[in-house]
Amino acid sequence: MLRDEFVDDVRVQPMAANTLADGNDALRPEDSPTPSASSTPTPRRTAKKTPKPRGDVRVVTVKGGEVAFTIGAAGCGLVSATPNSGYTAKVSKNDGWIRVDLVQAEHGSAVFCIGAERRTDTWEY
């Protein structure tokens, strides 16, 4: 699943290690540099809007996994194909229909969306 936001990279300023006169490399609180308010960048969040599917969303669950389609006046649209563990998804498209095969070895589930008929169909093989 993709996140709907991300944080931009934060620039880091390099700083030299302090070696104290007594030979001790440990920093004491009074020796550590104090960052200025302007030197600390603030992470920016950029929100991405997820497009809403157009039309009727139909989710079909079969032995090989789950497939979601939109069916509307413009035909079929594939929303997602989520194969179960051990299965792979193969998508075939043509004008008016979409076929998603969820396959494991020679067995699988085929899920069809037929736009002109505004319906879905399944085959197990």
Side-chain angles (χ1 to χ4, degrees):
M1 176 171 229
L2 297 176
R3 292 181 58 184
D4 60 348
E5 61 183 41
F6 65 94
V7 178
D8 291 338
D9 291 336
V10 178
R11 290 183 293 156
V12 177
Q13 299 289 334
M15 40 187 279
N18 288 344
T19 303
L20 303 176
D22 60 4
N24 185 356
D25 288 339
L27 285 177
R28 287 174 267 178
E30 62 271 10
D31 295 330
S32 49
T34 55
S36 66
S38 63
S39 69
T40 305
T42 304
R44 295 177 293 166
R45 290 181 178 229
T46 306
K48 287 185 178 180
K49 293 187 177 186
T50 305
K52 292 185 179 183
R54 294 182 178 164
D56 181 27
V57 177
R58 300 214 186 140
V59 178
V60 180
T61 303
V62 291
K63 183 179 178 182
E66 189 173 84
V67 180
F69 296 106
T70 57
I71 303 176
C76 292
L78 179 63
V79 175
S80 67
T82 309
N84 288 335
S85 179
Y87 285 79
T88 57
K90 296 179 182 179
V91 179
S92 303
K93 292 182 179 182
N94 205 338
D95 290 338
W97 60 266
I98 300 172
R99 174 181 175 162
V100 178
D101 286 281
L102 302 169
V103 182
Q104 182 181 46
E106 68 274 357
H107 301 288
S109 306
V111 184
F112 298 87
C113 181
I114 300 98
E117 298 175 15
R118 293 189 177 202
R119 70 179 179 96
T120 60
D121 199 0
T122 61
W123 289 77
E124 297 289 336
Y125 55 93

